[in-house]
Amino acid sequence: MKLLVVIALTLTLSHGVVHAQMTDKEQTVIVGHHNLLRALEGAGDMEYLTWDESLAGTAKTWLEKCDLANREQGTEEGEHPGLNVFTAKDDKIDFIQAVQSWFDKKYAYDHRSELCGDPSVDGCKPYLQLVSSQTRKIGCATHSCSGSTGSTGSNSTGDARTGEAGTGTGTILACNYLPGTQAGNIYQIGRACSKCSSGAAWCKNELCNRDCTKAGKDCTCNAICYNCGTLDKNTCKCSCVDPWSGPNCAQPCVDGTVCEGKDADQCNEGQMAIYCPVLCNKCKAAAGNSTVTEHCAPVFAGLLGGEQPKVPKPEGADKDDDKDGSDVDLETDAAGCLQYQHLLLYVMLAVSHYYMDSSATLT
């Protein structure tokens, strides 16, 4: 009996080595670099990622099988999680290098056609998952498998992401995401947090923070209300006038094709209320081309709740004239300011990561 136990233990150790649960520091490095790269995409609906231990446990269970070709992991919260994989050639992984390698697949992706530049490989999926705007949770694990040498690490061979392994032993990092990559546009371009799917434009580090209920620590209101929409300072939400809808009142009130066959009882599920505003009775449907409203300047939120900006009077106008100055492009001014803010954010976060031992390794 003892001999059988020894043989089983030997086979287990030769197949793979289980690493301890990730430390808080390692989790912080992985999540932090994800959020840094997501914030730099210039999206209006990009969610803030947080660590999820259940996803990490699922990744660990999958890695222990050392079967990289089989991507099946079951479901989490009723859906299949997204997955990114990185392999180093030894027992040390630079987590920032791993995350950056996924993001660097960006340069093979065409945002206009929503296609990878090289159709012969699945090279864009790691990038698409990393910047999928509605992803809110991430959990990762590491494991060493024989015959899985450094697929995506530097100076290595094979491809762990597609299940093609080299020779020798490699340490693998697997990250699970919820929700996984969605079909269609991976995010919407716009001022940070101005198009959050929750309907509230609360921001944390230029990313949608749906945990906020009021202004304060990690909760900055970044709303813009178009087409005569008004801003509720307490909820950081826009109240739209017909026939407009959406988080920033910029979308005509029409239901998308995803609403076909749905009913109002499903409006509390996922993002139904956003994609199906008519069905969910969020606004009155736009009739034909009836999408013109009285001109008014967009309402931009301030740092802690927002006020409608002062619109300069056109040259020669009466100072007492109540017209709002329709020639002023406040959105263009805000976009220029936002680019400057993004540059500062990138510099600050890059310096922070450099001094926080960015090359967190496994021992």
Side-chain angles (χ1 to χ4, degrees):
M1 182 67 178
K2 290 182 179 180
L3 179 60
L4 291 176
V5 173
V6 171
I7 293 174
L9 180 60
T10 302
L11 290 174
T12 299
L13 291 176
S14 65
H15 182 64
V17 178
V18 180
H19 292 277
Q21 182 179 10
M22 285 195 170
T23 66
D24 290 343
K25 182 177 180 180
E26 290 168 341
Q27 294 175 19
T28 298
V29 169
I30 291 173
V31 175
H33 201 57
H34 270 82
N35 282 330
L36 165 64
L37 297 174
R38 287 165 68 85
L40 294 175
E41 283 293 282
D45 62 338
M46 191 73 74
E47 296 281 344
Y48 184 85
L49 279 187
T50 57
W51 185 267
D52 185 88
E53 230 10 276
S54 179
L55 287 175
T58 301
K60 181 175 180 292
T61 300
W62 176 73
L63 280 175
E64 288 173 356
K65 299 176 182 178
C66 289
D67 183 8
L68 304 185
N70 182 5
R71 306 294 288 266
E72 180 59 42
Q73 298 189 64
T75 60
E76 289 278 342
E77 300 180 10
E79 66 175 281
H80 294 282
L83 172 66
N84 274 341
V85 178
F86 176 91
T87 306
K89 66 179 181 179
D90 50 30
D91 63 346
K92 295 181 180 180
I93 292 183
D94 184 325
F95 294 116
I96 287 186
Q97 179 193 11
V99 176
Q100 189 67 45
S101 73
W102 299 331
F103 182 78
D104 288 346
K105 305 296 183 182
K106 170 189 179 83
Y107 304 106
Y109 181 70
D110 186 338
H111 282 265
R112 289 173 295 182
S113 66
E114 299 178 10
L115 296 173
C116 286
D118 184 355
S120 65
V121 295
D122 205 14
C124 288
K125 280 191 176 180
Y127 162 73
L128 296 179
Q129 180 56 78
L130 195 152
V131 299
S132 180
S133 66
Q134 297 311 297
T135 300
R136 298 184 293 276
K137 297 179 181 180
I138 182 175
C140 308
T142 56
H143 190 70
S144 295
C145 292
S146 60
S148 300
T149 299
S151 57
T152 54
S154 58
N155 301 320
S156 56
T157 60
D159 191 346
R161 183 180 47 76
T162 58
E164 299 175 8
T167 58
T169 300
T171 301
I172 308 166
L173 168 69
C175 288
N176 279 335
Y177 305 80
L178 272 182
T181 306
Q182 306 295 312
N185 292 329
I186 49 177
Y187 56 75
Q188 300 180 63
I189 295 292
R191 186 188 190 211
C193 306
S194 65
K195 301 179 181 180
C196 298
S197 60
S198 66
W202 294 118
C203 243
K204 178 177 181 179
N205 295 340
E206 302 295 287
L207 297 169
C208 297
N209 187 2
R210 60 179 55 224
D211 291 335
C212 296
T213 56
K214 62 181 180 179
K217 186 180 183 229
D218 296 332
C219 299
T220 300
C221 183
N222 219 26
I224 310 175
C225 303
Y226 294 99
N227 298 306
C228 299
T230 57
L231 173 64
D232 185 326
K233 301 177 185 178
N234 295 320
T235 63
C236 194
K237 291 184 177 182
C238 296
S239 178
C240 306
V241 297
D242 293 328
W244 298 98
S245 67
N248 59 357
C249 303
Q251 303 166 10
C253 186
V254 293
D255 284 350
T257 56
V258 70
C259 308
E260 297 176 3
K262 306 285 186 180
D263 57 59
D265 293 338
Q266 298 172 278
C267 286
N268 291 327
E269 299 178 6
Q271 302 181 60
M272 273 281 290
I274 293 178
Y275 296 122
C276 311
V278 180
L279 176 66
C280 296
N281 199 30
K282 295 295 182 181
C283 56
K284 184 178 179 181
N289 294 324
S290 178
T291 57
V292 178
T293 59
E294 175 189 358
H295 172 78
C296 49
V299 179
F300 287 74
L303 291 178
L304 296 176
E307 295 286 352
Q308 180 163 347
K310 300 295 183 181
V311 182
K313 299 291 183 181
E315 187 175 351
D318 192 316
K319 291 184 179 180
D320 296 327
D321 194 342
D322 289 332
K323 293 182 179 180
D324 57 20
S326 59
D327 292 333
V328 178
D329 189 349
L330 292 176
E331 184 177 7
T332 299
D333 293 342
C337 180
L338 183 61
Q339 289 179 342
Y340 177 69
Q341 291 174 348
H342 276 171
L343 178 61
L344 290 179
L345 175 67
Y346 176 80
V347 172
M348 289 188 294
L349 290 179
V351 172
S352 298
H353 280 295
Y354 179 79
Y355 284 104
M356 68 182 295
D357 186 19
S358 63
S359 58
T361 56
L362 300 175
T363 57

